[in-house]
C-alpha cells in the first residue's frame, strides 16, 4: 500500500485483486479495472475514461472553434489526425522499447488488441501531427 501525504490530507493507494482502492481522509473509493464484458468484448475503465475525455475535448474544441469563426470540419479532421497519429506513435514507441521481442515477431507489431501502447509516444506523435496539420491548413498554432 502506497501512501502520499500533503498538508492535512493524505491519499492511500491499495491495489489488491485487480481493484484500485483510494482512501482520502477516511472516504473509500474503489475503481474496477473492467467496467463490463459481453463475450469476447471487454470495456476497460481506462479506455472508457480516455474515450470520454477525447469526446469532451472534441466538443470543447468545436465550440471554441465556432466562436472564433473556424469551420467545424477542420476540427473534426484535426481530431481524426490526432487520434490516428497518437495510436501509431504510442505503438511505435512501445515496439521500439521492446525491440528485442519484436525483432523476431514482426506480425505481433500489429496486434494492438494484446496491449502495448506508450502514452508519451502517442502524445509526441499527436502533437507533431497536429502541428503539421495546422500549418498545412494555415491555422494559428497556439
Amino acid at each position: 500500500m502506497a501512501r502520499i501525504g500533503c498538508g492535512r490530507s493524505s491519499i492511500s493507494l491499495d491495489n489488491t485483486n485487480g481493484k484500485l482502492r483510494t482512501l482520502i481522509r477516511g472516504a473509500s473509493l474503489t475503481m474496477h479495472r473492467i467496467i463490463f464484458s459481453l463475450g469476447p468484448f471487454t470495456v476497460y475503465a481506462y479506455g472508457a475514461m480516455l474515450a470520454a475525455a477525447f469526446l469532451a475535448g472534441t466538443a470543447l474544441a468545436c465550440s471554441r472553434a465556432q466562436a472564433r469563426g473556424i469551420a467545424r470540419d477542420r476540427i473534426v479532421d484535426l481530431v481524426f489526425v490526432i487520434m490516428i497519429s497518437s495510436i501509431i506513435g504510442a505503438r511505435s514507441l512501445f515496439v521500439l522499447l521492446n525491440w528485442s521481442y519484436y525483432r523476431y515477431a514482426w506480425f505481433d507489431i500489429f496486434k494492438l488488441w494484446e496491449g502495448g501502447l506508450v502514452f508519451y509516444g502517442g502524445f509526441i506523435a499527436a502533437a507533431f501531427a497536429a502541428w503539421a496539420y495546422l500549418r498545412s491548413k494555415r491555422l494559428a498554432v497556439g
Side-chain angles (χ1 to χ4, degrees):
M1 175 141 78
R3 188 167 186 81
I4 303 167
C6 181
R8 283 190 260 159
S9 44
S10 66
I11 299 172
S12 300
L13 302 175
D14 180 20
N15 189 4
T16 56
N17 300 330
K19 298 177 186 173
L20 181 64
R21 184 169 172 231
T22 307
L23 299 170
I24 304 174
R25 287 191 181 181
S28 178
L29 305 169
T30 302
M31 181 174 171
H32 297 274
R33 187 172 167 234
I34 297 174
I35 297 176
F36 68 87
S37 293
L38 289 171
F41 182 73
T42 302
V43 175
Y44 292 94
Y46 179 79
M49 294 302 126
L50 191 60
F54 207 81
L55 290 173
T58 300
L60 180 63
C62 285
S63 68
R64 287 190 175 184
Q66 188 177 17
R68 294 182 179 168
I70 299 171
R72 184 172 183 233
D73 291 345
R74 299 270 175 145
I75 301 304
V76 172
D77 291 345
L78 174 63
V79 166
F80 182 73
V81 166
I82 288 172
M83 186 171 47
I84 297 300
S85 63
S86 65
I87 293 169
I88 291 171
R91 184 60 174 183
S92 297
L93 187 55
F94 181 82
V95 168
L96 184 66
L97 292 174
N98 295 288
W99 183 245
S100 60
Y101 170 77
Y102 289 104
R103 168 179 22 183
Y104 302 109
W106 284 88
F107 291 112
D108 289 353
I109 291 173
F110 303 103
K111 293 182 180 178
L112 292 175
W113 57 91
E114 291 182 0
L117 301 172
V118 176
F119 172 79
Y120 48 92
F123 180 78
I124 291 167
F128 178 75
W131 175 81
Y133 176 82
L134 292 173
R135 296 246 334 170
S136 73
K137 300 298 181 184
R138 291 181 171 70
L139 295 170
V141 179

